[in-house]
């Protein structure tokens, strides 16, 4: 092979000793600082900043013993897969292959030598589908080498495939533009599936002519169509858009990038429009206000399918979209709400945009909002907590629906009593005040439609309010999937019990807290209270308060005692934990260390009764079924505390807690509260 860039860069052929690397370069393997710096510059220059160094590769050189550090490097793509190797040329720069540069530039850890897997000469890296190139070029190079071929196949599997699913119903006017936009992606998807929902026009013919996969079903609605597409795909990531949308050129790349974080299971993108009609421009501004709200949130609970992505395995385990929604409505947000209740992380990708044709008139806008209100009332029947908040809907929108309803009510009452007109006028003024932030936004971004903002706000509140009212009074006959959780009435009464019980508990237990605090300070150095991050309802982290029962810095010793854990599954409890102090054992014996959690209950982070809150690192190990524990607020006591406590492994806990959640009643809460003192005094499982 002659002189190598590895020798030029490092000055010598050395062993595999890791060296410091420049800031901004994620070093997961050994690589020389000089090579890391050049590789980092190359990635940025070729618009591959989202890719990171995964592992250095050594190429055995003629006449040398050890491997040369810095000869080449595998990089990790935005979806987490290992994908390509780069090599320096004689000019000490990373270069694309050319006729004067031989192909012996690539190797996997297992020793498959001499394969360049990258773009064809003269082709831009940003237009290179590395997964497809691996499967086609890589296998052709190594077709005669079974061992190397198996390694390539393994790499393809680890890299993951990206599939795009498009439900289509009589979409002959819009589908060609959608498919053409997908063909222009900087990171082309591995497959595009058009699910024909019983179209009666030329939708199927146009899709097949475009060379994409076509799956057909009888007309059942977009929810069923997307589910069919997800079952038919081979992709690890499934991206959704609609047949009347045109994804931007970087849509696939941007929407798939967040999945480099293994905790992310869903991503939401955005709408754009090229329309000039005032109604469409105002609709876009409405979306922009909601996007601005979501941009400030690390995690979200609301994903629309016009620009969405999910991990396929999680999507299928959770049953996909609820086919009880037979028309385009809120089936997409209902699914994302279900995932967020289990503590799955969903994120917002602001730049993953698709161009859409919005409502062109006020009449179209009112009809669409009425339909959303109607089907949302149906959904709130089993997700009542979303009545009050979600990460997408502006709080002012909810207030406007309520205020406009009151304005109409008091206006009618004013016919009988004139003073009610003044109340209605005051409420209308308050309604106007809630619209000021949106008015200011439109003034900054699109002044040409400012005049229509008051009309739009009134029509939106009226249409949504009417849809909600009709939906609650005359719900559809559709049957939705059984969903665990508390009804809104249960939530209100349970919260009242929590506030009264926790306030009383703090007052009554104050003398015990004072005595326990003195004992803790005399027994061992450190603070009286112990604060720890736990997972609450829907996986939201909060700081639990306990009396300290372990020696200082005990959390740093977890790894040393993990082998003493005797519980099966992601559950952690040690019977004779050496980190527990003398006073701590006494406090744990009678659960006195839990008394400060009355404060967590008063704050609304916990409830008096519910599943016990687990540490964040434990919840991260949960499978999909175990995440059902996160559907309700954790409790100071619960079914586990009165049935064995720390002696129960996670499977036994889950069985008890699922029965509690699926068959919840206030009587169950009272029964558990009455049984708790006996369970505490028996000390069974208390350690």
């Amino acid at each position: 092979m002659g002189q190598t860039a590895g020798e030029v860069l490092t000055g010598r052929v050395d062993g595999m000793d890791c060296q410091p690397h420049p800031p901004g370069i994620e070093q997961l393997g050994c690589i020389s600082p000089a090579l890391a710096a050049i590789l980092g510059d190359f990635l940025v220059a070729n618009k591959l900043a989202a890719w990171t160094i995964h592992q250095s590769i050594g190429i055995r050189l003629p006449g040398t013993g050890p491997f040369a550090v810095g000869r080449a490097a595998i990089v990790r793509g935005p979806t987490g897969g290992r994908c390509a190797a780069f090599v320096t040329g004689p000019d000490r720069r990373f270069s694309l292959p050319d006729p004067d540069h031989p192909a012996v530039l690539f190797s996997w850890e297992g020793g498959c030598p001499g394969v360049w897997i990258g773009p064809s000469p003269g082709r831009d890296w940003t237009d290179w589908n590395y997964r497809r190139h691996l499967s086609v070029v890589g296998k052709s190079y190594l077709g005669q080498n079974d061992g190397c071929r198996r390694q390539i196949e393994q790499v393809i599997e680890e890299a993951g495939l990206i599939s795009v699913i498009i439900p289509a119903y009589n979409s002959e006017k819009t589908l060609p533009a959608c498919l053409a936009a997908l063909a222009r992606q900087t990171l082309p998807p591995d497959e595009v599936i058009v699910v024909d929902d019983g179209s009666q026009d030329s939708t199927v013919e146009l899709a097949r002519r475009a060379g994409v996969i076509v799956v057909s079903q009888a007309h059942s609605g977009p929810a069923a169509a997307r589910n069919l597409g997800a079952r038919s795909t081979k992709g690890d990531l499934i991206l959704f858009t609609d047949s009347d949308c045109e994804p931007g050129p970087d849509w696939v790349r941007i929407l798939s990038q967040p999945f480099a974080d293994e905790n992310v299971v869903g991503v939401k993108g955005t709408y754009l429009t090229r329309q000039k009609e005032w109604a469409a421009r105002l609709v876009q501004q409405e979306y922009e206000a909601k996007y601005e709200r979501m941009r400030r949130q690390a995690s979200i609970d609301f994903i629309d399918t016009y620009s969405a992505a999910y991990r396929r395995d999680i999507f299928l385990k959770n049953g996909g979209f609820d086919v009880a929604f037979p028309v385009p409505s809120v089936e997409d947000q209902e699914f994302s709400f279900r995932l967020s209740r289990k503590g799955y992380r969903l994120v917002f990708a602001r730049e993953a945009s698709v161009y859409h044709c919005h409502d062109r008139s006020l009449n179209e806008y009112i009809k669409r909002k009425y339909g959303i209100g109607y089907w949302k009332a149906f959904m709130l029947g089993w997700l009542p907590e979303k009545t009050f908040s979600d990460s997408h809907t502006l709080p002012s929108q909810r207030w406007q629906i309520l205020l406009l309803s009151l304005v109409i009510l008091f206006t009618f009452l004013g016919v009988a009593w004139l003073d009610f007109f003044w109340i209605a006028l005051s409420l209308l003024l308050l309604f106007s005040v809630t619209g000021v932030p949106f008015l200011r936004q439109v003034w900054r971004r699109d002044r040409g439609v400012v005049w229509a903002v008051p009309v739009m706000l009134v029509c939106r509140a009226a249409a949504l309010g009417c849809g909600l009212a009709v939906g609650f009074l005359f719900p559809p006959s559709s049957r939705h999937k059984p969903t665990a959780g508390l009804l809104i009435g249960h939530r209100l009464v349970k919260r009242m019990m929590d506030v009264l019980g926790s306030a009383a508990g703090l007052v009554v237990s104050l003398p015990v807290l004072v005595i326990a605090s003195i004992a803790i300070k005399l027994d061992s150095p450190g603070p009286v209270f112990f604060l720890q991050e736990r997972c609450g309802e829907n996986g939201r982290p909060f700081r639990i308060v306990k009396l300290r029962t372990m020696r200082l810095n005990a959390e740093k010793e977890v790894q040393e005692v993990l082998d003493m854990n005797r519980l099966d599954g992601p559950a952690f409890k040690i019977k004779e934990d050496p980190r527990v102090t003398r006073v701590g054992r006494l406090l744990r014996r009678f659960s006195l260390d839990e008394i400060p959690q009355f404060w967590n209950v008063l704050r609304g982070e916990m409830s008096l009764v519910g599943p016990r809150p687990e540490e964040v690192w434990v919840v991260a190990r949960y499978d999909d079924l175990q995440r059902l524990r996160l559907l309700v607020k954790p409790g100071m006591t619960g079914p586990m505390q009165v049935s064995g406590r720390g002696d129960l492994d996670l499977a036994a806990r889950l069985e008890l807690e699922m029965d509690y959640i699926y068959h919840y009643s206030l009587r169950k809460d009272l029964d558990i509260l009455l049984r708790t003192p006996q369970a505490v005094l028996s000390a069974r499982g208390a350690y």
Side-chain angles (χ1 to χ4, degrees):
M1 291 175 56
Q3 182 71 14
T4 71
E7 291 174 299
V8 173
L9 282 171
T10 61
R12 62 189 178 88
V13 177
D14 39 73
M16 298 298 288
D17 296 323
C18 292
Q19 304 178 46
H21 56 284
I25 297 294
E26 180 185 354
Q27 183 176 347
L28 303 179
C30 306
I31 192 168
S32 69
L35 187 64
I38 294 175
L39 177 55
D41 292 339
F42 178 86
L43 295 178
V44 173
N46 287 275
K47 302 178 182 179
L48 292 169
W51 298 35
T52 53
I53 298 173
H54 175 52
Q55 182 175 359
S56 65
I57 284 191
I59 303 295
R60 184 180 296 277
L61 307 176
T64 65
F67 287 91
V69 174
R71 178 69 179 86
I74 293 179
V75 296
R76 173 175 287 159
T79 58
R82 297 171 298 173
C83 42
F86 301 83
V87 68
T88 53
D91 57 354
R92 300 180 60 174
R93 295 174 57 85
F94 282 88
S95 56
L96 303 180
D98 57 60
D100 298 324
H101 225 117
V104 188
L105 305 177
F106 188 86
S107 176
W108 299 107
E109 294 106 324
C112 293
V115 179
W116 173 266
I117 299 182
S120 302
R123 192 176 180 191
D124 189 356
W125 278 92
T126 60
D127 190 33
W128 177 51
N129 185 337
Y130 69 82
R131 283 171 293 275
R132 186 170 300 155
H133 210 86
L134 274 173
S135 61
V136 177
V137 179
K139 287 182 180 179
S140 66
Y141 266 114
L142 303 175
Q144 305 303 316
N145 187 321
D146 291 338
C148 290
R149 184 171 63 251
R150 284 194 295 270
Q151 289 185 4
I152 290 291
E153 291 171 348
Q154 179 182 356
V155 170
I156 295 170
E157 182 178 351
E158 291 181 3
L161 300 177
I162 297 177
S163 302
V164 176
I165 297 172
I166 308 167
Y169 176 66
N170 292 341
S171 304
E172 63 180 7
K173 294 182 179 179
T174 59
L175 183 61
C178 177
L179 297 178
L182 288 172
R184 296 191 296 267
Q185 293 294 301
T186 56
L187 176 62
D190 296 283
E191 62 181 2
V192 176
I193 298 178
V194 172
V195 184
D196 174 52
D197 188 28
S199 298
Q200 298 172 340
D201 60 5
S202 58
T203 294
V204 173
E205 180 183 348
L206 291 171
R208 286 176 176 158
R209 192 182 303 166
V212 301
I213 300 170
V214 178
V215 180
S216 298
Q217 67 172 21
H219 185 49
S220 306
R226 295 188 188 102
N227 292 346
L228 177 59
R231 293 192 300 269
S232 304
T233 184
K234 299 177 181 178
D236 299 284
L237 300 182
I238 48 177
L239 279 57
F240 293 103
T241 190
D242 294 328
S243 60
D244 60 351
C245 294
E246 296 179 36
D250 292 327
W251 180 70
V252 171
R253 180 177 61 82
I254 295 172
L255 205 57
S256 61
Q257 278 180 345
F259 291 101
D261 181 350
E262 62 182 10
N263 295 316
V264 171
V265 304
V267 182
K268 170 183 165 54
T270 59
Y271 264 149
L272 291 176
T273 189
R274 303 185 183 96
Q275 293 169 274
K276 303 300 182 183
E277 298 95 339
W278 68 267
R281 289 158 59 190
L282 206 52
V283 169
Q284 183 62 36
Q285 291 306 315
E286 180 184 6
Y287 280 115
E288 293 294 338
K290 295 175 178 179
Y291 297 155
E292 182 61 26
R293 168 178 166 82
M294 302 185 87
R295 184 184 62 81
R296 298 190 293 267
Q297 303 175 56
S299 297
I300 61 175
D301 62 6
F302 188 113
I303 295 181
D304 316 81
T305 45
Y306 56 77
S307 179
Y310 289 104
R311 294 191 189 274
R312 180 175 179 265
D313 59 338
I314 301 297
F315 182 88
L316 294 178
K317 284 178 183 177
N318 285 272
F321 301 108
D322 195 330
V323 296
F325 299 93
V327 296
S329 51
V330 297
E331 75 284 355
D332 44 8
Q333 55 184 274
E334 189 273 343
F335 179 69
S336 59
F337 288 158
R338 272 191 280 136
L339 290 185
S340 68
R341 294 175 86 211
K342 291 184 175 182
Y344 284 118
R345 189 172 180 219
L346 313 176
V347 298
F348 179 53
R350 178 66 179 86
E351 304 302 320
S353 301
V354 297
Y355 289 89
H356 181 250
C357 184
H358 296 327
D359 304 313
R360 289 165 290 187
S361 67
L362 188 60
N363 186 46
E364 289 183 6
Y365 180 77
I366 292 173
K367 287 182 177 180
R368 180 170 63 85
K369 289 294 182 182
Y370 173 84
I372 290 174
Y374 178 80
W375 287 103
K376 193 148 194 173
F378 178 55
M379 180 195 73
L380 293 176
W382 64 91
L383 294 172
E385 65 271 23
K386 297 307 175 183
T387 303
F388 307 105
S389 69
D390 62 66
S391 58
H392 182 259
T393 308
L394 299 172
S396 60
Q397 181 174 311
R398 289 182 166 86
W399 282 110
Q400 287 161 6
I401 295 172
L402 176 62
L403 289 170
L404 186 61
S405 300
L406 293 175
V407 167
I408 295 172
L409 173 63
F410 282 106
T411 299
F412 277 111
L413 293 176
V415 175
W417 188 20
L418 189 60
D419 288 350
F420 280 120
F421 277 123
W422 294 108
I423 298 177
L425 188 61
S426 300
L427 291 170
L428 186 60
L429 179 62
L430 186 57
F431 178 97
S432 302
V433 171
T434 63
V436 169
F438 182 62
L439 187 69
R440 292 174 60 188
Q441 174 201 302
V442 177
W443 175 261
R444 290 195 307 268
R445 296 182 175 181
D446 193 351
R447 297 185 183 182
V449 295
V450 167
W451 62 270
V453 169
V455 177
M456 178 260 208
L457 293 179
V458 171
C459 290
R460 180 179 70 183
L464 286 171
C466 288
L468 286 166
V470 174
F472 283 127
L473 294 173
F474 308 102
S477 57
S478 301
R479 297 181 62 86
H480 69 88
K481 298 176 182 177
T483 305
L486 275 60
L487 300 176
I488 192 166
H490 289 153
R491 287 179 173 272
L492 292 174
V493 175
K494 189 174 175 67
R495 182 57 187 151
M496 289 175 59
M497 290 174 55
D498 288 343
V499 171
L500 295 175
S502 59
L506 285 171
V507 173
V508 172
S509 63
L510 186 59
V512 179
L513 283 174
V514 172
I515 296 172
S517 299
I518 295 172
I520 290 170
K521 294 299 288 185
L522 293 174
D523 182 52
S524 63
V528 170
F529 295 105
F530 172 69
L531 303 179
Q532 187 181 57
E533 192 173 71
R534 298 286 181 99
C535 278
E537 184 179 20
N538 304 156
R540 287 190 295 268
F542 72 98
R543 303 282 285 182
I544 195 172
V545 187
K546 304 179 69 173
L547 290 173
R548 183 173 60 84
T549 60
M550 292 186 175
R551 59 177 176 251
L552 198 61
N553 298 321
E555 283 187 291
K556 297 179 180 179
E557 303 173 18
V558 169
Q559 295 299 323
E560 300 175 13
V561 297
L562 274 179
D563 59 345
M564 301 175 65
N565 182 33
R566 295 294 180 262
L567 298 182
D568 294 329
F572 181 66
K573 200 72 174 178
I574 298 174
K575 190 170 185 178
E576 297 293 337
D577 196 322
R579 300 171 299 164
V580 179
T581 64
R582 290 173 300 174
V583 170
R585 294 193 188 280
L586 179 64
L587 295 176
R588 289 187 171 204
R589 167 67 177 76
F590 296 103
S591 297
L592 298 178
D593 59 319
E594 313 287 356
I595 289 176
Q597 290 165 38
F598 280 124
W599 176 247
N600 292 114
V601 176
L602 190 61
R603 285 170 54 89
E605 298 163 334
M606 293 178 61
S607 178
L608 292 175
V609 182
R612 282 299 293 168
E614 286 285 7
E615 296 178 51
V616 174
W617 69 271
V618 175
V619 172
R621 300 182 177 185
Y622 280 4
D623 60 27
D624 189 75
L625 179 63
Q626 292 159 350
R627 284 180 173 272
L628 291 171
R629 300 184 73 248
L630 305 175
L631 294 181
V632 298
K633 287 182 182 179
M636 289 185 66
T637 185
M640 182 191 85
Q641 279 68 30
V642 298
S643 304
R645 303 168 77 180
D647 290 335
L648 302 178
D649 61 21
L650 189 59
R653 296 184 193 181
L654 191 63
E655 183 179 355
L656 291 169
E657 290 165 349
M658 285 302 96
D659 178 73
Y660 170 80
I661 294 172
Y662 274 99
H663 305 100
Y664 176 79
S665 69
L666 296 173
R667 178 178 295 180
K668 276 195 174 184
D669 273 4
L670 293 173
D671 178 64
I672 290 173
L673 287 171
L674 292 174
R675 291 166 59 192
T676 297
Q678 180 182 353
V680 169
L681 293 174
S682 72
R684 179 188 171 194
Y687 44 80

